[in-house]
């Protein structure tokens, strides 16, 4: 099995599906049906293949697995290889991407009826780019995937989005592009330091401290926009509000994780001293993010915007955990990212269910839905509580580990984060009360339909995973642990050697 | 070699053959009459292909002929290939257009052939005299081509503007050349290079002469602040002519610029680098900012080409083999993106009337999805978004810049590329997000379709096999430094 180029298969199979969809011809109705079917079957196959990755994964080692190398570009002294591989940190992000793509294709089954063919192609291309980004072990390859993601996402927001979609699409594209191009220059600088664009080489290279600071900032520019960290988060609420439901699910579920993944994969191990140097800044930005955006979320009247701000707050937890650089906190950050991917994806789907029926995101538009939609009320409740971090759900595991790990580094930071957890409970439950409870005041809500079997089938896997991760997190922590421990040791060792001097600078 | 012996013609054989070919085709046109336009066009494409083969047969070795005034090497071959491709494609794209606008005359391909001869001489110039000779042959033909639609006021105006400003720049260049000759006592690149490598500091007169020549060349590559003619000429000239202007003369001029700076004046790097850095930064900023407000796609492409020259000049400012390699790769990819984009613009017509407004593209993704996809690929490529070819062209440039520690230049470059991305995205937005404004005429001419498909495939799938292009660019760049 391991002789198969499994990673390449998972990465590029969606493109094959997209190619098939492109060849469909004929009546619009038939083309749409074929496109849906091909997209669904492709994404399901890809998801099953990615499960094979998990089964075959060896949790005992921190080394990269399923490694593939091939010559790509070689001129003069500049070698770029097609180098793919995953470790415990990237494994679950690959799975998250493939799972959410299936969910997205299924979620758009009915709600998208214009240009279905192009829509499905865009999602399959997006899947290739996302998976490739998490697997890439060469900087140029990574960058191609990382920035390539912008193209399909730009089109998804711009073509299938809501009224103000053009503004949102441009803001999304240009914000993230500006961050990325600075990272590109940093990548080139890394190449001239290490003599290779290979990520494994760069991870084990000791950069001089002065250079680390600059490179860290350049990478930070890119990842902070992606995460997004306060104050460069303003593109996110716009993008979320205007994107179609499935676009929001991918955006919140995977695209934001690209930033967090970048911090864990590159910023920490490559620039440990700079990370140490900038920790106070990172902590401050994270604390502002969690508290400020929680307060902003409390004041929202648009459901999607509220969940978008909650994403910023949750990702603030993640960045806090990452820069605490303790084994618990980093593991917690990874788990929190996975959990947030599932939970916020599910919450956007919940909002999408209402939008499909009533075509409004306005909270005041709803109320008393529990009378007409009991199944929906249950599902929404489950994910609301997971978002709040109720023990037994995935949200709790991540936040608990982050707080535990951060407490050892900074009590104040931990205290601020805990405050934000309280605020998180406030805005989520407040949202839930306004939408689900109360009495039905509007006539058209009296005839609203409960979840269809298709929608139930969408939520079921997400709910199972959220509970699984909450009740028995070891199945997920197992593969993550070795890689994170290795990472934390490496970073702490680098910081300890020159620690006193670096902090004296 | 004594002056009485016959000069060594061999290195210039392709140019001589091309000039003869142009004459013969002129005769064919005269004898066959007005209706021979199509025949002469196809014959001139054949001639260009033949010249390409001939030039390739001459090989990559450095040969010097005409008493040292003419040089061919791997660098010249690379740039000549680009020039020839650009000219041939321009002739192919112009045929249908000219017929529809009643300007199908056999002089058009002949003029393009003559301009191409001039460009090839520019690429191979090894002496200030040759430089000027090639430049003027090229320019004179181009002035005529710009006003080829002689009954149109816009076209005549474009030709006239181009001529007046072009003459001014030629004057500056000549003045610079005479300064250089006055202070150095020679016009030969080889002799100049020898003179400037030693300890002897460059005299101020030589520097001023060099700067004047740079101004003339900057005009030809349309670098800011010598870009004023570009938008008007691009807009006024018939579209196929604009497509031609956007590629072939740019290739020749940037090639000449590189050879002139690296070979004779390589020893004065410290003096001329600041000039190039300024031109580069100004072009990048103006190219990206000024394009935002444009409503005509031809004017937009004019500003876009100014911006692209700014990026290419980064590579020249670096002035290492890696930098020159970057410029070569950049120009080759630029050729494909630009030709493709103009092929799309040539498809923009309703009821036989050409359209030039960006808003006329509205909803193209629904009326003509293939065309929209092609243009979207070119736009993302011009913005430098991976995985399109445009990303790799910028990659090689920035790689060289970071290597040479021109960090500020690289940072300005990437930031302006983000600003520039805005207007490229705007075209994608108009095509994909807006409601259809009305479909363009169908069917698309076969030759345009072929150009579109080839350029789109090259632009999108360049990443699969970048080595052949980058490898030959590397060899070409190395030959420029092998003195």
């Amino acid at each position: 099995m391991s002789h198969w180029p499994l990673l390449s298969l998972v990465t590029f199979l969606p493109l094959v599906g997209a190619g098939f969809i492109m060849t469909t011809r004929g009546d619009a109705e038939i083309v749409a049906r074929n496109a849906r079917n091909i997209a669904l079957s492709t994404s399901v196959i890809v998801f099953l293949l990615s499960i094979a990755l998990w089964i075959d994964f060896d949790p005992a080692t921190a080394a990269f697995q399923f490694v593939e190398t091939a010559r790509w570009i070689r001129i003069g002294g500049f070698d770029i290889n097609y180098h793919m591989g995953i470790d415990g940190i990237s494994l679950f992000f690959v799975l998250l991407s493939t799972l959410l793509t299936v969910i997205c294709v299924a979620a758009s089954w009915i709600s998208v009826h214009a240009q279905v063919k192009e829509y499905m192609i865009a999602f399959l291309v997006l899947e290739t780019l996302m998976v490739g980004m998490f697997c890439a072990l060469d900087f140029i390859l990574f960058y191609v995937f990382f920035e390539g993601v912008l193209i399909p996402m730009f089109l998804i927001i711009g073509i299938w989005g809501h009224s103000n979609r053009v503004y949102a699409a441009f803001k999304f594209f240009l914000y993230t592009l500006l961050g990325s191009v600075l990272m590109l220059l940093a990548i080139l600088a890394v190449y001239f330091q290490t003599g290779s664009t290979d990520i494994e080489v760069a991870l084990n290279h000791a950069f001089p401290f002065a250079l680390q600071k600059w490179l860290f900032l350049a990478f930070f520019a890119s990842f902070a926009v992606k995460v997004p960290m306060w104050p460069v988060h303003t593109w996110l609420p716009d993008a979320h509000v205007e994107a179609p439901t499935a676009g929001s699910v991918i955006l919140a579920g995977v695209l934001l994780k690209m930033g967090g993944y970048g911090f864990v994969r590159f910023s920490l191990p490559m620039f440990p001293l700079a990370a140490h140097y900038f920790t106070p800044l990172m902590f401050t930005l994270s604390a502002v993010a969690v508290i400020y955006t929680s307060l902003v979320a409390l004041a929202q009247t648009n459901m999607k915007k509220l969940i978008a701000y909650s994403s910023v707050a949750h990702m603030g937890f993640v960045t806090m955990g990452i820069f605490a650089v303790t084994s618990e906190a980093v593991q917690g950050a990874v788990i929190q990212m996975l959990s947030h991917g599932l939970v916020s994806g599910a919450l956007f789907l919940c909002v999408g269910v209402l939008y499909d029926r009533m075509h409004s995101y306005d909270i005041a538009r709803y109320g008393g839905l529990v009378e007409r939609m009991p199944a929906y009320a249950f599902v929404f409740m489950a994910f609301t509580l997971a978002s709040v971090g109720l023990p037994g759900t995935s949200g709790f595991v991540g936040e608990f580990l982050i707080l535990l790990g951060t407490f050892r580094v900074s009590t104040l930071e931990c205290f601020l984060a805990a405050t934000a957890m309280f605020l998180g409970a406030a805005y989520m439950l407040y949202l839930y009360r306004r939408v689900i409870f109360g009495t039905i005041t509007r006539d058209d809500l009296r005839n609203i339909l409960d979840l269809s079997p298709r929608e139930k089938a969408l939520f079921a896997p997400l709910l199972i995973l959220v509970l699984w991760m909450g009740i028995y997190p070891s199945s997920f922590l197992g593969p993550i642990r070795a890689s994170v421990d290795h990472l934390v040791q490496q970073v702490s060792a680098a910081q300890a050697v020159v620690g006193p001097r670096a902090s004296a600078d | 070699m004594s002056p009485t012996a016959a000069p060594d013609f061999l290195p210039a054989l392709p140019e001589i053959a091309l000039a003869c070919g142009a004459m013969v085709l002129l005769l064919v046109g005269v004898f066959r009459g007005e209706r021979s336009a199509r025949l002469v066009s196809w014959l001139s494409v054949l001639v260009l292909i033949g010249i390409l083969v001939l030039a390739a047969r001459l090989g990559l070795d450095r040969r010097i002929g005409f008493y040292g005034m003419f040089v061919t090497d791997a660098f010249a071959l690379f740039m000549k290939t680009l020039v020839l491709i650009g000219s041939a494609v321009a002739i192919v794209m112009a045929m249908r257009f000219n017929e529809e606008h009643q300007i199908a005359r056999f002089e058009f391909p002949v003029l393009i052939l003559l301009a191409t001869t001039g460009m090839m001489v520019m690429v191979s110039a090894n002496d200030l005299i040759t430089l000027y000779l090639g430049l003027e042959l090229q320019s004179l033909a181009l002035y005529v081509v710009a006003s080829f639609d002689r009954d149109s006021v816009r076209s005549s105006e474009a030709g006239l503007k181009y001529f007046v400003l072009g003459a001014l720049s030629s004057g500056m260049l000549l003045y610079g050349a005479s300064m250089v000759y006055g202070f150095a006592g020679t016009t030969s690149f080889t002799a100049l290079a020898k003179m400037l490598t030693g300890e002897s500091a460059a005299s101020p007169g030589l520097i001023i002469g060099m700067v004047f020549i740079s101004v003339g060349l900057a005009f030809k590559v349309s670098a800011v602040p010598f870009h004023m003619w570009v938008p008007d000429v691009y807009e006024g000239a018939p579209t196929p002519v604009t497509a031609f202007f956007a590629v072939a003369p740019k290739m020749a001029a940037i090639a000449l610029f590189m050879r002139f700076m690296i070979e004779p004046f390589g020893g004065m790097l410290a003096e001329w680098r600041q000039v190039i850095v300024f031109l580069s930064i100004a072009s990048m900023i103006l190219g990206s900012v000024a394009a935002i407000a444009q409503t005509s796609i031809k004017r937009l492409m004019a500003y876009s080409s100014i911006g692209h020259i700014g990026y290419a000049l980064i590579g020249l400012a670096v002035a290492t083999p890696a930098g020159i390699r970057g410029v070569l790769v950049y120009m080759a990819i630029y050729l494909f993106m630009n030709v493709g984009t103009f092929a799309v613009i040539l498809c923009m017509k309703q009821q036989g009337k050409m359209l030039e407004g960006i808003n006329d593209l509205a909803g193209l993704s629904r009326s003509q999805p293939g065309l929209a996809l092609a243009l979207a690929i070119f736009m993302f490529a011009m913005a430098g978004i991976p995985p399109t070819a445009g990303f790799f062209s910028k990659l090689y440039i920035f790689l060289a810049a970071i290597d040479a520690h021109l960090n500020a230049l690289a940072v300005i470059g990437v930031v302006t590329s983000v600003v520039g991305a805005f207007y490229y995205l705007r075209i994608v937005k108009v095509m994909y997000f807006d409601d259809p404004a009305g479909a363009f005429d169908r069917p698309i001419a076969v030759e345009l379709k072929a150009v579109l498909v080839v350029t789109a495939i090259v632009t999108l799938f360049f990443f699969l096999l970048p080595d052949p292009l980058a490898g030959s660019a590397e060899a070409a760049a190395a030959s420029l430094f092998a003195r």
Side-chain angles (χ1 to χ4, degrees):
Chain A
M1 194 66 192
S2 55
H3 296 296
W4 278 53
L6 201 52
L7 276 185
S8 295
L9 217 54
V10 172
T11 308
F12 293 106
L13 203 57
L15 280 191
V16 177
F20 275 120
I21 295 179
M22 231 176 258
T23 59
T24 54
R25 290 269 184 280
D27 187 49
E29 199 53 40
I30 297 170
V31 167
R33 198 170 62 219
N34 286 342
R36 290 190 187 107
N37 287 329
I38 296 173
L40 185 67
S41 40
T42 312
S43 53
V44 167
I45 294 171
V46 171
F47 176 60
L48 293 178
L49 279 175
S50 63
I51 289 188
L53 287 177
W54 189 8
I55 295 169
D56 264 16
F57 191 84
D58 175 12
T61 168
F64 287 100
Q65 306 181 29
F66 304 100
V67 173
E68 295 167 31
T69 318
R71 237 186 83 169
W72 184 27
I73 304 174
R74 180 164 301 171
I75 50 158
F78 192 32
D79 289 2
I80 307 170
N81 289 320
Y82 174 78
H83 188 183
M84 304 272 272
I86 51 171
D87 67 353
I89 298 169
S90 43
L91 168 68
F92 287 112
F93 289 113
V94 173
L95 284 160
L96 185 69
S97 312
T98 54
L99 172 69
L100 286 182
T101 306
V102 177
I103 303 266
C104 283
V105 169
S108 318
W109 207 257
I110 296 171
S111 56
V112 171
H113 33 74
Q115 294 174 285
V116 178
K117 181 174 153 181
E118 287 79 4
Y119 184 85
M120 294 301 169
I121 292 175
F123 266 94
L124 290 178
V125 171
L126 189 59
E127 180 174 21
T128 288
L129 296 169
M130 292 187 305
V131 173
M133 199 228 51
F134 288 122
C135 299
L137 286 183
D138 183 282
F139 269 121
I140 302 297
L141 189 63
F142 167 81
Y143 188 80
V144 167
F145 286 125
F146 186 82
E147 207 173 292
V149 165
L150 296 183
I151 297 178
M153 204 62 215
F154 175 73
L155 295 175
I156 288 171
I157 297 176
I159 300 178
W160 295 277
H162 305 304
S163 54
N164 199 18
R165 59 187 193 271
V166 173
Y167 170 75
F170 271 84
K171 197 168 177 183
F172 161 75
F173 196 104
L174 295 177
Y175 250 78
T176 28
L177 182 63
L178 184 60
S180 316
V181 290
L182 293 175
M183 180 176 74
L184 176 64
L185 295 184
I187 286 176
L188 297 178
V190 166
Y191 160 68
F192 285 112
Q193 278 287 312
T194 63
S196 163
T197 56
D198 198 277
I199 288 175
E200 275 188 284
V201 174
L203 290 182
N204 297 311
H205 185 89
F207 294 91
F209 179 54
L211 186 66
Q212 276 196 23
K213 278 199 273 190
W214 285 107
L215 294 179
F216 181 89
L217 285 177
F219 276 82
F220 173 74
S222 175
F223 298 142
V225 173
K226 269 270 185 314
V227 165
M229 290 175 80
W230 182 86
V232 286
H233 67 281
T234 58
W235 62 271
L236 185 75
D238 287 315
H240 268 312
V241 170
E242 300 304 330
T245 302
S248 292
V249 171
I250 287 286
L251 201 55
V254 185
L255 262 53
L256 304 192
K257 310 304 173 291
M258 291 163 66
Y261 171 77
F263 280 131
V264 181
R265 169 68 76 232
F266 304 113
S267 299
L268 278 188
M270 280 164 58
F271 320 121
L273 304 181
H276 184 71
Y277 178 81
F278 285 113
T279 299
L281 175 69
M282 297 298 133
F283 274 178
T284 312
L285 293 182
S286 305
V288 173
V290 286
I291 294 174
Y292 167 76
T293 51
S294 297
L295 289 173
V296 174
L298 208 50
Q300 295 305 313
T301 57
N302 179 313
M303 286 191 278
K304 256 190 155 177
K305 229 173 190 164
L306 191 152
I307 299 172
Y309 278 109
S310 86
S311 289
V312 182
H314 282 124
M315 291 308 284
F317 265 100
V318 171
T319 48
M320 183 190 297
I322 291 171
F323 286 100
V325 203
T326 55
S327 186
E328 297 84 7
V330 177
Q331 284 179 41
V334 175
I335 287 283
Q336 170 78 351
M337 281 195 269
L338 297 172
S339 155
H340 177 254
L342 299 172
V343 172
S344 69
L347 284 172
F348 278 116
L349 284 177
C350 286
V351 174
V353 165
L354 288 185
Y355 186 82
D356 285 348
R357 287 164 174 69
M358 306 310 298
H359 298 284
S360 170
Y361 291 131
D362 198 8
I363 297 174
R365 180 77 183 67
Y366 300 97
L369 290 179
V370 68
E371 293 176 26
R372 296 290 312 157
M373 309 174 77
Y376 177 74
F378 168 74
V379 169
F380 199 178
M381 171 60 95
F383 289 115
T384 301
L385 292 177
S387 172
V388 168
L390 187 80
T393 64
S394 57
F396 173 75
V397 181
E399 291 185 356
F400 178 74
L401 283 173
I402 292 175
L403 290 179
L404 189 70
T406 314
F407 188 77
R408 287 169 42 187
V409 180
S410 162
T411 323
L412 174 67
E413 185 71 10
C414 188
F415 169 73
L416 292 172
T419 320
M421 278 183 83
F422 163 72
L423 286 172
Y427 64 74
M428 282 314 291
L429 294 176
Y430 186 43
L431 168 74
Y432 190 79
R433 184 187 74 72
R434 283 182 289 174
V435 173
I436 302 292
F437 293 146
T439 51
I440 293 188
T441 50
R442 286 172 182 267
D443 284 342
D444 50 0
L445 287 179
R446 290 189 206 288
N447 301 322
I448 196 166
L449 293 172
D450 204 355
L451 295 181
S452 67
R454 181 183 63 89
E455 287 163 339
K456 282 181 188 156
L458 280 180
F459 286 115
L462 295 175
L463 191 57
I464 292 169
L465 277 171
V466 164
L467 292 177
W468 182 3
M469 211 182 264
I471 294 167
Y472 193 69
S474 297
S475 5
F476 299 90
L477 283 170
I480 298 175
R481 188 171 292 129
S483 296
V484 168
D485 282 348
H486 173 74
L487 170 81
V488 170
Q489 274 164 19
Q490 190 190 351
V491 175
S492 320
Q495 288 176 350
V497 170
V498 271
R501 202 188 64 205
S503 50
D505 270 345
Chain B
M1 193 187 288
S2 75
T4 49
D8 184 4
F9 288 122
L10 187 65
L13 201 56
E15 285 77 6
I16 295 168
L18 184 55
C20 294
M23 298 306 164
V24 170
L25 288 179
L26 193 60
L27 286 178
V28 171
V30 169
F31 282 107
R32 294 285 306 258
E34 278 295 314
R35 297 221 303 242
S36 58
R38 187 160 269 262
L39 174 73
V40 175
S41 292
W42 281 118
L43 284 176
S44 39
V45 172
L46 274 184
V47 168
L48 288 172
I49 294 171
I51 300 299
L52 184 57
V53 174
L54 191 60
R57 287 294 295 274
L58 268 181
L60 301 170
D61 301 336
R62 187 178 168 87
R63 295 163 192 263
I64 294 185
F66 278 107
Y67 309 120
M69 295 177 89
F70 197 88
V71 62
T72 59
D73 48 15
F75 174 80
L77 179 61
F78 189 94
M79 292 312 287
K80 280 178 189 174
T81 310
L82 297 186
V83 167
L84 289 168
I85 293 176
S87 302
V89 174
I91 294 176
V92 170
M93 292 203 301
M95 270 187 269
R96 182 72 63 95
F97 179 93
N98 287 356
E99 283 163 16
E100 283 169 3
H101 290 75
Q102 279 87 43
I103 50 170
R105 299 195 194 91
F106 65 86
E107 288 95 338
F108 183 82
V110 173
L111 281 169
I112 297 224
L113 287 192
L114 288 173
T116 310
T117 314
M119 292 173 208
M120 290 175 71
V121 173
M122 283 162 73
V123 172
S124 278
N126 198 33
D127 192 293
L128 287 173
I129 308 280
T130 330
L131 180 157
Y132 187 70
L133 201 69
L135 197 73
E136 278 307 279
L137 177 56
Q138 178 226 221
S139 303
L140 285 172
L142 291 185
Y143 301 145
V144 182
V145 176
S147 51
F148 197 73
D149 191 359
R150 62 187 177 202
D151 296 331
S152 146
V153 178
R154 280 200 333 171
S155 178
S156 314
E157 184 191 325
L160 193 63
K161 267 187 189 155
Y162 193 21
F163 174 69
V164 172
L165 286 168
L168 182 72
S169 81
S170 292
M172 294 221 211
L173 194 140
L174 268 185
Y175 183 62
S178 64
M179 296 271 290
V180 170
Y181 178 67
F183 282 86
T186 176
T187 55
S188 157
F189 285 3
T190 320
L192 278 168
K194 228 172 249 154
M195 186 183 292
L196 290 169
T197 41
E199 277 294 295
S200 62
S203 67
L206 213 48
I207 293 175
I208 294 173
M210 183 270 296
V211 169
F212 268 100
I213 297 179
S214 313
V215 167
L217 292 175
F219 177 90
K220 296 295 172 195
V221 299
S222 71
V224 177
F226 310 104
H227 66 283
M228 275 70 157
W229 59 278
V230 184
D232 291 338
V233 172
Y234 270 46
E235 194 187 14
T239 311
V241 175
T242 313
F244 178 60
F245 280 5
V247 284
K250 287 267 161 67
M251 303 293 155
I254 194 95
L256 179 58
F257 214 157
M258 283 190 277
R259 190 185 289 282
F260 177 74
M261 287 307 184
I262 303 288
E263 281 194 346
F265 286 95
M268 278 165 59
L269 173 64
E271 282 82 11
W272 60 257
R273 178 180 267 173
Q274 39 192 322
V275 177
I276 303 294
V277 167
F278 170 75
L279 292 177
S280 166
I281 292 176
S283 304
M284 289 189 293
I285 292 177
L286 186 113
S288 53
V289 174
I292 290 174
Q294 302 304 321
T295 53
S296 153
I297 190 151
K298 278 164 86 177
R299 282 188 88 87
L300 183 117
M301 289 307 292
Y303 285 106
S304 150
S305 81
I306 294 172
H308 282 297
I309 285 298
Y311 295 106
L313 287 179
I314 294 181
L316 179 55
V318 171
T320 59
I324 299 301
R325 177 190 69 200
V327 182
L328 295 177
V329 173
Y330 199 96
M331 294 318 284
I333 291 173
Y334 169 80
L335 173 92
F336 283 98
M337 300 188 299
N338 234 19
V339 164
T341 309
F342 275 101
V344 176
I345 296 176
L346 280 169
C347 296
M348 291 173 60
K349 56 183 175 191
Q350 279 171 357
Q351 282 96 45
K353 197 172 167 298
M354 294 303 293
L355 300 174
E356 283 166 15
I358 291 172
N359 288 333
D360 295 322
L361 288 165
L364 192 64
S365 67
R366 266 163 279 176
S367 50
Q368 264 149 312
L371 201 58
L373 179 67
L375 188 53
I377 291 172
F378 299 132
M379 288 300 122
F380 281 120
M382 293 221 180
I385 310 294
T388 59
F391 165 70
F392 290 93
S393 60
K394 289 208 167 70
L395 177 69
Y396 288 118
I397 291 278
F398 290 131
L399 187 70
I402 297 281
D403 191 19
H405 297 292
L406 294 175
N407 295 343
L409 196 56
V411 170
I412 294 173
V414 294
V415 171
T416 53
S417 83
V418 175
V419 179
F422 173 77
Y423 65 82
Y424 296 122
L425 284 180
R426 191 157 66 100
I427 294 183
V428 176
K429 171 236 158 197
V430 169
M431 290 192 302
Y432 278 87
F433 304 173
D434 291 358
D435 291 325
F440 297 142
D441 291 355
R442 287 183 188 235
I444 299 168
V446 182
E447 57 264 25
L448 277 185
K449 212 179 245 177
V451 170
L452 266 176
V453 169
V454 170
T455 49
I457 287 176
V458 170
T459 311
L460 183 58
F461 292 107
F462 175 77
F463 70 92
L464 289 179
L465 204 62
D467 274 3
L469 176 66
S472 47
E474 176 144 326
S479 79
L480 200 55
F481 288 85
R483 278 195 288 273

